[in-house]
Amino acid sequence: MKSSIIVAAIAAACGTQAAAQSNVVIYGIADAGITRESGGAAGTVNKVNSGAASASRLGFKGSEDLGGGLSAIFLLETGYKIDTGEVDAAGTIFNRQAYVGLKGRAGSVTLGRQYTPYHTALASVADPFGTGLAGTSKNLFPDSGANVRSSNTVLYTSPVSNGFSGELAYSAGEKSSSATGRQVGASLGYASGPLTVRVAYNNKNSDVETAPGVVAVRNGNGRNTLLAANYDFKVVKLFAAYGVDQGFNSAPLGNANNPYGGVRPTASTDGNELLLGFTAPVGGGSLIASIMRKDDKTRFNQDARSWGVGYIYPLSKRSSLYGAYAAISNRNGAGYTVANNSESGSGNRGMNLGLRHSF
């Protein structure tokens, strides 16, 4: 009997140690709501939408303690459409993020498909809507495609030191021409008390290689620079951001399918954006609002203005109801549309009502 007790105790101790050294977490978001879009050539569109506030997703993440303050880490995350049950990007498995790496006292290095430093700064520092709902900064700021995530990426994330932190990312184009498809990003931030400031940069090459070593189309590089800040006064939290975009594909339109008909709008290759916004605790929830301006400096002068307002009411720590409305004023044939977290929108006005649950 004593031997059995001793064996059981040793087994339990070993099991506890293993659990402490390695862990895997399953997490996700289920987000569904009603979206109403109007003002485009398609007229008024009503639909059940997946991920208006936060894209619905399922993920697996974990770490293993390697000793000496060093850990192996990984994350696999796929997106899905809760309204249909489909994956949100055909032909993919972990289309949102997929990486593995090492994390220690000097920071972390991860390899795979990951968020760009530019998107992280926009979503976490600049935008009171967190790039979700109808008021999202995606309505005018270039936050789609390779500006959001990049594949074949090595990302270094520094530890926080005296309030400062940074990221440095390199994405290989994996072509014979070393520059084709290459992307580089970086950010530097400071956070202390109620103040958070971050500057971010993204540079992506859009040349087209038709055969090994043969660059048939030289589009050059698109460059994005973002300065973002927020300050929490407790009764209200203020947000501000200024972005500069230059070069081919630096500011692709969220909906490039000519949503208003007539002459197709032209994506800006030289312009800037300004955002001012706030969040405030109201009635047990959060009131959110922002205004934005797009200044297109090309000869087309396709400027735009937008505003958005929203409200999020928590039912618990993991579940919340939300509502939002936004409108855009396009000038000189500009083609900006009211988007949300998971869709680009079809007109210059949009509304969301829904429920978000995280697990």
Side-chain angles (χ1 to χ4, degrees):
M1 179 64 69
K2 290 182 178 180
S3 299
S4 300
I5 294 175
I6 292 173
V7 171
I10 293 174
C14 291
T16 301
Q17 184 180 19
Q21 290 179 342
S22 181
N23 68 85
V24 176
V25 175
I26 300 175
Y27 69 94
I29 293 175
D31 182 323
I34 298 171
T35 295
R36 181 183 178 90
E37 300 167 352
S38 60
T44 299
V45 179
N46 298 298
K47 54 189 173 182
V48 174
N49 178 231
S50 174
S54 301
S56 297
R57 68 198 69 174
L58 176 65
F60 307 85
K61 61 182 177 180
S63 64
E64 180 187 15
D65 186 356
L66 303 177
L70 186 66
S71 298
I73 57 175
F74 81 92
L75 187 145
L76 303 170
E77 186 177 277
T78 186
Y80 67 91
K81 298 179 180 180
I82 199 169
D83 52 331
T84 63
E86 302 172 290
V87 295
D88 63 3
T92 66
I93 299 178
F94 298 109
N95 59 296
R96 292 185 56 82
Q97 294 187 85
Y99 64 75
V100 66
L102 295 173
K103 182 177 182 179
R105 297 186 181 92
S108 66
V109 176
T110 49
L111 297 87
R113 179 169 173 79
Q114 306 173 69
Y115 286 118
T116 65
Y118 172 91
H119 171 77
T120 299
L122 185 65
S124 64
V125 181
D127 188 358
F129 287 91
T131 66
L133 297 173
T136 174
S137 56
K138 294 179 182 181
N139 292 341
L140 297 185
F141 280 70
D143 190 49
S144 62
N147 276 11
V148 179
R149 301 177 188 85
S150 56
S151 299
N152 311 311
T153 299
V154 180
L155 174 66
Y156 168 71
T157 303
S158 78
V160 178
S161 177
N162 295 320
F164 288 94
S165 63
E167 290 184 319
L168 181 62
Y170 176 84
S171 306
E174 300 192 344
K175 302 292 183 181
S176 296
S177 171
S178 60
T180 302
R182 182 176 60 192
Q183 185 165 332
V184 178
S187 69
L188 177 64
Y190 175 77
S192 178
L195 175 66
T196 302
V197 180
R198 185 164 288 264
V199 60
Y201 177 75
N202 194 59
N203 184 315
K204 59 181 181 294
N205 179 273
S206 296
D207 291 347
V208 178
E209 186 177 287
T210 56
V214 179
V215 181
V217 181
R218 295 188 180 276
N219 293 313
N221 293 1
R223 301 172 299 280
N224 304 99
T225 305
L226 175 70
L227 175 61
N230 61 63
Y231 194 95
D232 192 353
F233 290 95
K234 301 303 180 182
V235 293
V236 64
K237 187 174 183 179
L238 300 181
F239 293 78
Y242 181 74
V244 177
D245 320 307
Q246 295 179 313
F248 181 83
N249 208 29
S250 61
L253 292 168
N255 185 340
N257 295 320
N258 201 18
Y260 299 106
V263 178
R264 183 179 294 275
T266 303
S268 177
T269 55
D270 184 6
N272 58 61
E273 305 87 24
L274 176 67
L275 178 152
L276 298 173
F278 72 86
T279 62
V282 175
S286 295
L287 177 66
I288 314 167
S290 72
I291 57 173
M292 291 184 286
R293 181 218 68 190
K294 173 71 179 187
D295 182 11
D296 176 25
K297 295 183 175 298
T298 71
R299 63 184 179 87
F300 299 103
N301 195 30
Q302 294 184 336
D303 298 340
R305 303 288 187 273
S306 77
W307 64 270
V309 61
Y311 186 73
I312 299 177
Y313 183 79
L315 301 173
S316 69
K317 289 184 178 181
R318 297 187 296 161
S319 300
S320 59
L321 297 172
Y322 60 77
Y325 180 86
I328 293 176
S329 174
N330 287 302
R331 301 180 181 180
N332 301 321
Y336 298 97
T337 50
V338 174
N340 57 56
N341 192 280
S342 60
E343 294 188 348
S344 59
S346 60
N348 65 350
R349 297 182 297 278
M351 179 272 292
N352 319 124
L353 290 172
L355 170 67
R356 176 176 59 189
H357 173 75
S358 60
F359 58 90

